[in-house]
Amino acid sequence: MGAAAEAALAAAATGFGVGISLILAIGAQNAFVLRQGLRREHVFWICLTCALSDALLIAAGVGGFGALAAAHPWLERAMTLGGAAFLLAYGAMRLRAALHPSALAMAQGAAMPLRAALGATLALTWLNPHVYLDTLALIGAVGARYAGAERLAFGAGAVTASFAFFFALGYGARALAPLFARPQAWRWLDLGVGALMWTLAFGLLTS
């Protein structure tokens, strides 16, 4: 293996490591993917939407879009307010669902239509200011250390991390299906997700 190939491989490994370390943090998007994976509803399309969204944002970050956001501070403020409003609304929905155990079992309750599921996925992704910090700012800053083929390899590694994580989370959630066959388990999951959404929202508003 030549020096150029080794350098590109090292950059890709760094990109994968940075990407996976940022995405592992529990957040609104991950909680939604986990919940839909447990319910086995539109798992492929939700995971694909999350991964492709990350890929676009990572490409923009590695390409230098972070400088534009830094030049226009109002963008961060607008994203913060929009994200907080969505998190508060979605958290309220999950807390309300926790009050109705009969609707919580996987075999019961109306399934979320694909269009609604994708809409929620896109909102939880693109209205979350933290995703811009992670992809445009942090990944973009690390990627700026590379040039040419190495920068492309770094971005590819970070994108690969997103695809691997989301599909592992969505389909891996099925291993927990026996536990969540009980309505009481869904009650606690919805309570936890709702509390997480509100905590994130208030954190955005007070940061």
Side-chain angles (χ1 to χ4, degrees):
M1 183 181 293
E6 289 182 357
L9 184 60
T14 300
F16 187 92
V18 171
I20 204 70
S21 65
L22 292 174
I23 204 171
L24 278 176
I26 297 299
Q29 185 189 51
N30 293 353
F32 181 75
V33 173
L34 175 63
R35 188 177 190 281
Q36 293 303 108
L38 287 168
R39 290 181 61 89
R40 303 185 183 184
E41 289 180 5
H42 318 303
V43 178
F44 174 81
W45 295 110
I46 289 173
C47 293
L48 182 63
T49 299
C50 289
L52 288 177
S53 295
D54 262 15
L56 290 174
L57 289 165
I58 289 169
V62 173
F65 183 78
L68 177 62
H72 299 282
W74 63 268
L75 284 174
E76 181 181 358
R77 182 62 175 171
M79 290 185 297
T80 296
L81 293 176
F86 181 82
L87 290 172
L88 286 171
Y90 187 76
M93 290 173 55
R94 297 273 52 86
L95 292 174
R96 181 181 179 183
L99 298 177
H100 303 283
S102 61
L104 297 178
M106 287 188 294
Q108 298 176 352
M112 180 181 290
L114 176 60
R115 180 178 297 182
L118 292 181
T121 304
L122 290 171
L124 287 168
T125 300
W126 293 89
L127 291 179
N128 179 10
H130 291 297
V131 76
Y132 297 95
L133 174 64
D134 289 347
T135 55
L136 297 183
L138 297 179
I139 292 180
V142 178
R145 295 160 34 191
Y146 301 96
E150 291 181 25
R151 180 178 289 191
L152 290 177
F154 172 85
V159 169
T160 300
S162 289
F163 273 85
F165 174 81
F166 283 117
F167 278 93
L169 179 63
Y171 286 98
R174 296 185 179 185
L176 299 175
L179 172 65
F180 284 90
R182 298 177 297 169
Q184 192 65 20
W186 280 96
R187 178 194 291 276
W188 285 109
L189 177 65
D190 276 326
L191 282 173
V193 170
L196 173 63
M197 301 299 175
W198 279 14
T199 300
L200 292 172
F202 285 117
L204 291 176
L205 293 174
T206 57
S207 62

